[in-house]
Amino acid sequence: MSKKGNNPGRFRKRCMVALLAASLFLGATGSARAIDFKAQGEWLVGFGAGDASLIDKVRDNNGKHKTNANDKFAAAQRIRLQLDAVASEALSGTVFFEIGDQTWGKAEDGGALGADGTVVKVKNAFIDWLAPRTDLRFRMGLQAVALPNMAGGSAVMDGDVAAVAASYKFTDNVALTALWMRPVNDNYSGWDDNGNTRESNYLDNIDLFALSLPLTFDGFEITLWAMYGMMGKYSLDGLDADDGNNPWGRPGRVGTNQWGTEDGALRYTLSGLYPGFNATALGGTSKAYGSMFWAGLPIAITAWDPLNIEFDINYGYVESMGRFDVSKRGAEVVRGGTERQGWLAKALIEYKMDWGVPGIFGWYASGDDGNVKNGSERMPSVAAAGNFTSFMGDGNLAWAPNGDWYDRGLSYAGTWGVGLQLRDMSFVEDLRHTFRVAYWGGTNSPSMVKYMSSSTAWADGYGTNDGPYLTTNDGLLEFNMVNSWQIYENLEANLELGYIVNMIDKDTWEKSWMNDSFQKQDAWKAQLVFAYAF
């Protein structure tokens, strides 16, 4: 009897499998010769210390207790890898992976012993193509979308979203872009805010349609843009982790801070219902869809180089989709409106010099008028990314070793501010410094406090795109210092120091009917990040 390894039939089968595998490999490599694969990415490894909370202790029915028990020190890393498959100038595809953020030692992130976490995410995945024999370009898929902006980033939309974008360049000076985005759809499981069941995935989509007309001339840029949206009556309910056994206790409902998606907080930023309100009931609506609208006018003037001037004005409106009951001074119940509309103006003036770029910036946004019945006068947003500063704002790598210290991508809603900066100062080769100081004030009426549930309700929005709720009596003073050392062409050491002086007015927020008080503190962070980019 032949040995198992010498069986002629088995040998022939192995040869056939090997030949088939070889032919598949050769066929794959042959077809891939027409495609040019390109890779680029970024590795971040960082270490830092900080405390981003503006509240130290709270005294309530449970006595005096500390509100923030997060670690003061953390280490973490993040990898972003982009692969482009380029067939020609007219056709390409892109996939963008993200691994992280991985906090060292945290099992959920894959940073604990063994490092076996499942933290690989598809950040973007889209195709670019050019209509044959035209200059009409399309981008389709999960992509990064930033609405036109100047001076301090987008206060409306700058995030990853499923979209189709079409752009056409008429001349060197005039172009047109049309955009359809679907940030939310098919997330509603059937539970509404009052615990009633409906059809799942029914009337739960948000669709946004935008047009922008960029005009570019010598030393002058201006873009006219507008965006219309339609929001299904259950679209915001679908953003939460539903629990049919306890509909009032599930995340995202009144009295909690989980208000939406990772990029943005739509239940918060699209509605007049602030999470700190002492709300007791949510009313429904007979409307199937509600309307939304935004418009902007960003302008940049470089004609007087080295002087640079940037200006941006925005307006936003979201139709009311029902009403809510809120307690006034802990007693009288008032019916509030969910309509939200407001405006924002922001500007930056810089002067380029040999050693750096000094500048001044500022903004003013409309705020709530003190009457909850007519909705909110704060400008709504989808996924804002304000970047005048890098602690309250979304600047300098948009990353922190502890998630609690992340830069806040704020919409500026309900605030005003003014700041000074010295950008890209360099006195030694390969070493740059940027220093900023900014004062944040509030434009919301202090009388809005009578609808709040606690003396710390001003912080219930902290960490979302709208940030803390500042009245005209409140303020924050922020300092940023960013130092960048270009160790090699592709390796940077980035040291950032941030500090926020807390000027929240305790007399405005600590009221007798609230039965609690707070001890405020300043926020701070210090982080060293090594960034390898290729």
Side-chain angles (χ1 to χ4, degrees):
M1 181 178 289
S2 300
K3 292 182 180 179
K4 185 178 179 180
N6 295 328
N7 189 317
R10 185 178 297 275
F11 177 75
R12 285 195 297 271
K13 288 181 180 179
R14 289 180 176 174
C15 289
M16 291 177 64
V17 170
L19 289 172
L20 178 60
S23 64
L24 289 174
F25 174 77
L26 291 174
T29 55
S31 62
R33 287 175 186 149
I35 306 298
D36 183 15
F37 285 93
K38 299 178 180 179
Q40 54 183 311
E42 178 187 62
W43 271 262
L44 298 182
V45 177
F47 314 90
D51 189 347
S53 176
L54 293 170
I55 303 172
D56 183 21
K57 295 181 178 66
V58 171
R59 183 182 294 277
D60 53 24
N61 295 331
N62 297 318
K64 190 174 183 180
H65 55 91
K66 192 169 179 60
T67 61
N68 182 19
N70 292 335
D71 293 337
K72 294 294 189 293
F73 172 82
Q77 65 184 56
R78 181 182 73 203
I79 300 173
R80 287 179 173 174
L81 180 63
Q82 178 177 326
L83 300 177
D84 299 305
V86 183
S88 66
E89 292 185 358
L91 176 62
S92 66
T94 297
V95 62
F96 194 162
F97 298 103
E98 181 174 284
I99 304 174
D101 301 348
Q102 293 175 286
T103 301
W104 288 9
K106 189 173 181 178
E108 183 182 354
D109 295 346
L113 183 65
D116 295 325
T118 56
V119 290
V120 179
K121 296 170 280 189
V122 177
K123 188 172 177 63
N124 293 153
F126 56 84
I127 59 172
D128 286 310
W129 61 281
L130 186 68
R133 294 178 294 278
T134 72
D135 291 326
L136 179 61
R137 290 190 172 274
F138 291 93
R139 174 168 289 184
M140 300 175 173
L142 298 172
Q143 55 187 282
V145 172
L147 291 175
N149 66 87
M150 291 286 180
S154 175
V156 179
M157 170 67 190
D158 185 354
D160 299 320
V161 68
V164 175
S167 59
Y168 188 86
K169 192 171 184 179
F170 296 98
T171 68
D172 290 340
N173 307 107
V174 182
L176 180 67
T177 297
L179 180 69
W180 165 54
M181 295 180 282
R182 173 160 277 188
V184 171
N185 186 47
D186 285 352
N187 299 295
Y188 176 53
S189 66
W191 290 96
D192 67 11
D193 284 299
N194 293 317
N196 302 314
T197 57
R198 300 288 188 271
E199 298 86 348
S200 62
N201 299 334
Y202 177 61
L203 298 178
D204 66 347
N205 61 297
I206 293 179
D207 289 287
L208 301 170
F209 307 88
L211 279 176
S212 67
L213 181 68
L215 307 173
T216 306
F217 304 98
D218 240 0
F220 183 79
E221 295 179 29
I222 182 172
T223 302
L224 293 84
W225 70 267
M227 181 169 69
Y228 172 78
M230 49 191 294
M231 177 174 60
K233 65 190 298 183
Y234 300 123
S235 58
L236 299 184
D237 293 285
L239 297 181
D240 309 305
D242 295 334
D243 178 3
N245 296 321
N246 185 13
W248 277 101
R250 61 189 186 264
R253 298 301 183 251
V254 177
T256 70
N257 286 322
Q258 298 181 33
W259 283 73
T261 60
E262 185 176 348
D263 289 340
L266 299 184
R267 284 185 60 86
Y268 180 17
T269 62
L270 294 179
S271 172
L273 175 59
Y274 175 70
F277 283 163
N278 193 9
T280 58
L282 291 173
T285 177
S286 59
K287 306 169 189 173
Y289 285 93
S291 295
M292 302 183 286
F293 178 77
W294 287 269
L297 186 66
I299 299 172
I301 302 174
T302 57
W304 302 306
D305 187 64
L307 183 67
N308 174 55
I309 300 175
E310 297 179 6
F311 179 78
D312 199 354
I313 186 167
N314 299 118
Y315 169 81
Y317 164 79
V318 175
E319 183 179 358
S320 176
M321 294 294 285
R323 304 184 69 82
F324 60 92
D325 290 339
V326 60
S327 176
K328 181 179 178 181
R329 296 189 180 92
E332 177 188 357
V333 175
V334 177
R335 185 61 56 89
T338 59
E339 177 183 287
R340 182 166 171 173
Q341 66 174 321
W343 59 273
L344 164 71
K346 47 193 174 74
L348 168 69
I349 300 176
E350 295 180 312
Y351 192 87
K352 299 177 184 176
M353 305 183 75
D354 293 338
W355 52 268
V357 185
I360 182 172
F361 57 87
W363 70 93
Y364 190 96
S366 59
D368 290 338
D369 61 5
N371 181 11
V372 74
K373 298 178 181 180
N374 60 5
S376 173
E377 287 70 41
R378 292 171 293 134
M379 190 181 78
S381 64
V382 181
N387 60 15
F388 271 135
T389 62
S390 61
F391 199 167
M392 288 285 287
D394 183 30
N396 186 41
L397 303 178
W399 184 88
N402 182 327
D404 191 48
W405 315 333
Y406 262 96
D407 303 334
R408 316 301 184 187
L410 296 188
S411 65
Y412 306 109
T415 71
W416 69 273
V418 62
L420 298 172
Q421 69 177 24
L422 295 172
R423 180 170 62 85
D424 293 335
M425 294 181 290
S426 182
F427 308 102
V428 178
E429 186 178 2
D430 297 327
L431 186 61
R432 292 180 293 110
H433 315 273
T434 294
F435 174 77
R436 294 185 177 94
V437 56
Y439 177 81
W440 295 72
T443 59
N444 299 300
S445 171
S447 63
M448 289 296 292
V449 175
K450 63 180 174 285
Y451 301 112
M452 301 296 179
S453 60
S454 70
S455 64
T456 58
W458 56 270
D460 285 355
Y462 193 64
T464 67
N465 291 63
D466 276 357
Y469 193 97
L470 302 180
T471 73
T472 54
N473 295 336
D474 301 314
L476 302 171
L477 183 62
E478 178 180 2
F479 297 90
N480 304 146
M481 184 67 181
V482 178
N483 308 277
S484 173
W485 174 32
Q486 203 67 39
I487 303 174
Y488 298 112
E489 182 179 357
N490 300 96
L491 181 62
E492 172 193 356
N494 187 288
L495 174 64
E496 178 178 355
L497 306 174
Y499 197 90
I500 299 175
V501 180
N502 189 340
M503 300 180 181
I504 297 295
D505 186 64
K506 290 172 68 70
D507 291 337
T508 297
W509 287 95
E510 291 185 349
K511 302 300 183 182
S512 59
W513 68 86
M514 293 179 176
N515 297 319
D516 71 340
S517 61
F518 66 92
Q519 180 179 324
K520 63 183 181 181
Q521 66 177 16
D522 297 341
W524 62 277
K525 71 171 182 178
Q527 62 184 45
L528 176 62
V529 181
F530 294 89
Y532 169 44
F534 65 92

